[in-house]
Amino acid sequence: MNPHNRKNTDMASKQRTSDMVLKGPERAPHRSLLYALGLSAEEMKRPLIGVVSSFNEIIPGHIHLDKIAEAVKAGVRIAGGTPILVPAIGVCDGIAMGHPGMKYSLPSRELIADSCETLALAHCFDAVVYIPNCDKIVPGMLMAAARTNIPSIVVSGGPMLGGDLDGRHLSLSNVFEAVGACKAGKIGEKELTDYEETACPGCGSCSGMFTANSMNCLSEAIGMALPGNGTIPAVAAARTRLAKEAGMQIMQVLAKNLRPRDVMTPAAFANALRVDMALGCSTNSVLHLTAIAHEAGVPMPLKRINEISATTPNLCHLSPAGPDLIQDLHLAGGVPAVMKQLAQAKLIDTKLVTVTGKTVARNIAGAVNRNPQVLRTIANPYSPTGGLAVLFGNLAPRGGVVKRSAVAPEMLVKTCTARVFDSEEAAIAAIFGGKIRKGDIVVIRYEGPKGGPGMREMLGPTSALAGMGLDKDVALITDGRFSGATRGAAIGHVAPEAADGGPIALVKTGDQIAIDIPAYQINLLVSAKELQARAKKLKPFKFRVQTGWLARYQRLVGPADIGAVLQ
């Protein structure tokens, strides 16, 4: 039984979870081991606060998290707690992109959640401060927070500053697109080198509204992080101060016995989705929010996302949808300014409690939109509907997700000719080989959670098309995923996936596929009779991996429409 599932009224007894390893003669062996860590008797009188840091030397967004963790620990000590540092793993999606390493990215989310649960419950922490920054690490930690229901706060490492090349802001997505431009002969190798050497100037999560920054902003919106978490740059002193504040605030969260499930309520998820739509977050946010909601016991059907999107204006066009970066959103007022605009339109619930100990209304009371060019007003949105859409139809009976705000107007409604590939590698070879033409839709299948396995992000194909100037003429659809850095008519997360016999497995090259994003529709223009005939000839899927963690993962993972959580 999880000792942290007790009701709030239990705090009246003044007993702590850490008493199970600290109190009584029978715990002398436990205390002896804690003395071996260098802890003093005084420190053992205080609450034990787990500080989960995903610091490592392979992810640019995490290279500085040792400093953030020290700031959190200082804050915990200031407020009277005893911080205990423990690790979490992470995968750099950018470095893992475009090769078999990407198969490990999404599965790592489950390992992170499981390991955080293990460390917290095995060592009887009274509360936990989670320090993620990039892609799967943020949702993995939020899943653990919801699952363990220990008083928790998330504080990220912050976004990377944008690069600068001849006065132009750059982010990682520009480098991926430059590869396509180079292949198409639009730029030379010297220009490509200029891009790669300048786009990522230092530590932090990549500077556009990609998955990492999407989830760090949504951590704030859902109430599990302090204001500023999503946008304060990694290199700013304010980021260090925020980490100290998080360390101090966790003691208040503990004193009030405020649990993650007290914060992550259905209304809080609705708030997060509103902010998601206003910002134009990564399509991966759908996958992760559904997984976090699953752990919190909150239903989140994909059709609910469309209902919220239909009534939420898109207020930002951050990279890759536009030229602005996260640092620009921060200077414009950050997530509090976004929520203030939504609150004025009565689109979010401002009465909800957050880890600040205050309501949403109090958190955003002083927020100001300092740059309506970056953060548009409700009266002047980029579009009256949200940045994401979930498409349904005979090709995606349980949904497929597209970043509507990053789709060119001429691609919102279009009928395309299918070019079918059974792997990312085959698709990108065809793109670079000049075999994809205007009016095509690239179908990449058997890349879903089970089929991949691991539901690879495919920034390579989308950025190649963008770099070659085809993003306004060619669509993509896959049962895998697209990076938050993707732009264009890229429809991912198609469910059921091909490995489960979904309709995407029945598509043939030359078929016509009708896209209607405003109507939330994606349909294969093939008769039901013909599809039934194709289904009878479909061979059962054979697992691609036979050993190691991925072999277990592909047998246990659920479908994308419920967050690709393990079953």
Side-chain angles (χ1 to χ4, degrees):
M1 178 180 176
N2 182 349
H4 298 278
N5 284 336
R6 64 180 187 271
K7 298 293 184 181
N8 289 356
T9 52
D10 289 357
M11 285 298 286
S13 66
K14 301 298 181 183
Q15 290 184 339
R16 300 181 187 138
T17 302
S18 59
D19 288 350
M20 289 190 285
V21 294
L22 293 174
K23 294 293 179 70
E26 68 276 14
R27 299 308 184 200
H30 304 66
R31 292 192 295 273
S32 181
L33 291 169
L34 294 173
Y35 279 125
L37 299 175
L39 293 183
S40 66
E42 175 60 31
E43 287 173 299
M44 288 189 226
K45 293 178 184 177
R46 302 177 181 185
L48 297 185
I49 309 300
V51 178
V52 184
S53 170
S54 50
F55 164 77
N56 60 53
E57 295 183 345
I58 191 59
I59 306 177
H62 292 219
I63 189 69
H64 64 304
L65 293 190
D66 54 341
K67 308 298 190 299
I68 299 297
E70 286 302 318
V72 169
K73 289 165 65 179
V76 171
R77 291 192 182 100
I78 289 169
T82 297
I84 306 290
L85 182 68
V86 293
I89 67 165
V91 170
C92 179
D93 278 19
I95 295 174
M97 194 75 66
H99 57 83
M102 178 50 72
K103 293 177 183 289
Y104 286 90
S105 174
L106 183 60
S108 74
R109 187 189 70 182
E110 314 309 308
L111 291 179
I112 291 161
D114 291 350
S115 63
C116 288
E117 172 193 358
T118 300
L119 288 164
L121 297 186
H123 300 107
C124 299
F125 292 147
D126 294 300
V128 179
V129 179
Y130 291 102
I131 309 174
N133 209 24
C134 292
D135 296 85
K136 308 310 156 298
I137 300 91
V138 185
M141 289 185 176
L142 282 169
M143 289 167 67
R147 186 187 301 172
T148 61
N149 210 28
I150 297 170
S152 302
I153 287 179
V154 171
V155 57
S156 78
M160 184 186 294
L161 294 177
D164 188 279
L165 182 61
D166 299 327
R168 177 190 172 201
H169 270 329
L170 295 183
S171 67
L172 182 65
S173 63
N174 298 113
V175 187
F176 275 95
E177 291 183 12
V179 174
C182 185
K183 292 276 189 179
K186 293 187 174 185
I187 65 172
E189 291 189 8
K190 170 63 170 62
E191 291 170 278
L192 180 59
T193 299
D194 290 341
Y195 273 94
E196 70 180 76
E197 290 181 350
T198 57
C200 300
C203 66
S205 48
C206 296
S207 55
M209 187 51 79
F210 311 147
T211 306
N213 291 323
S214 294
M215 294 310 301
N216 282 324
C217 287
L218 296 181
S219 298
E220 205 176 317
I222 207 169
M224 286 298 296
L226 303 181
N229 181 74
T231 60
I232 296 173
V235 296
R239 176 59 58 175
T240 303
R241 295 197 299 271
L242 185 76
K244 289 180 181 176
E245 290 166 10
M248 291 185 281
Q249 183 59 26
I250 192 63
M251 299 304 294
Q252 291 299 315
V253 172
L254 176 61
K256 294 179 180 180
N257 199 28
L258 182 65
R259 305 300 178 101
R261 291 183 209 164
D262 299 329
V263 174
M264 290 193 280
T265 62
F269 277 98
N271 278 2
L273 284 170
R274 292 283 186 190
V275 173
D276 192 332
M277 299 305 158
L279 287 174
C281 290
S282 164
T283 53
N284 284 316
S285 64
V286 173
L287 192 71
H288 297 322
L289 284 175
T290 51
I292 298 163
H294 171 82
E295 296 291 354
V298 174
M300 188 184 287
L302 293 186
K303 289 187 177 179
R304 174 63 175 148
I305 294 170
N306 281 346
E307 292 169 5
I308 289 176
S309 180
T311 55
T312 308
N314 178 227
L315 305 178
C316 293
H317 266 191
L318 304 177
S319 177
D324 298 320
L325 303 177
I326 300 298
Q327 65 203 51
D328 301 307
L329 176 61
H330 179 64
L331 293 174
V335 174
V338 177
M339 297 185 77
K340 182 75 168 283
Q341 305 246 115
L342 295 173
Q344 289 171 344
K346 302 189 183 308
L347 291 173
I348 61 171
D349 189 337
T350 61
K351 302 185 296 296
L352 304 181
V353 67
T354 72
V355 293
T356 65
K358 304 171 186 176
T359 62
V360 171
R362 290 185 64 190
N363 286 344
I364 65 176
V368 176
N369 183 356
R370 294 184 171 86
N371 190 341
Q373 307 250 317
V374 172
L375 171 57
R376 290 197 174 185
T377 63
I378 292 288
N380 182 38
Y382 281 100
S383 70
T385 53
L388 299 180
V390 183
L391 310 186
F392 295 91
N394 70 346
L395 189 51
R398 298 212 303 266
V401 185
V402 64
K403 190 169 186 174
R404 172 167 47 189
S405 59
V407 178
E410 52 266 53
M411 292 298 293
L412 290 171
V413 180
K414 195 172 182 72
T415 298
C416 303
T417 302
R419 295 289 179 263
V420 181
F421 305 94
D422 287 347
S423 70
E424 177 189 7
E425 289 82 0
I428 202 164
I431 293 169
F432 285 145
K435 296 179 181 179
I436 304 302
R437 295 174 175 81
K438 292 182 178 182
D440 286 347
I441 179 168
V442 178
V443 180
I444 308 175
R445 61 192 182 192
Y446 294 102
E447 289 285 5
K450 183 186 297 182
M455 204 180 183
R456 286 192 285 181
E457 279 187 351
M458 287 174 277
L459 181 55
T462 58
S463 57
L465 289 171
M468 297 167 79
L470 291 172
D471 58 298
K472 295 181 180 179
D473 300 288
V474 174
L476 296 94
I477 186 167
T478 182
D479 51 10
R481 299 181 295 132
F482 293 115
S483 165
T486 287
R487 62 185 173 97
I491 303 153
H493 309 190
V494 167
E497 63 174 298
D500 279 333
I504 194 171
L506 307 179
V507 184
K508 291 184 177 181
T509 290
D511 287 346
Q512 298 294 294
I513 295 175
I515 302 168
D516 191 339
I517 294 174
Y520 306 104
Q521 287 287 309
I522 179 80
N523 284 291
L524 177 61
L525 302 183
V526 174
S527 70
K529 183 177 180 180
E530 170 62 18
L531 292 178
Q532 289 173 357
R534 292 182 189 182
K536 290 178 181 178
K537 297 177 182 178
L538 191 65
K539 295 179 180 179
F541 174 72
K542 293 183 179 180
F543 287 126
R544 289 175 165 173
V545 179
Q546 302 301 321
T547 60
W549 151 237
L550 289 181
R552 298 197 304 274
Y553 177 84
Q554 67 188 349
R555 286 171 170 79
L556 296 173
V557 68
D561 57 302
I562 59 170
V565 294
L566 297 184
Q567 303 296 292

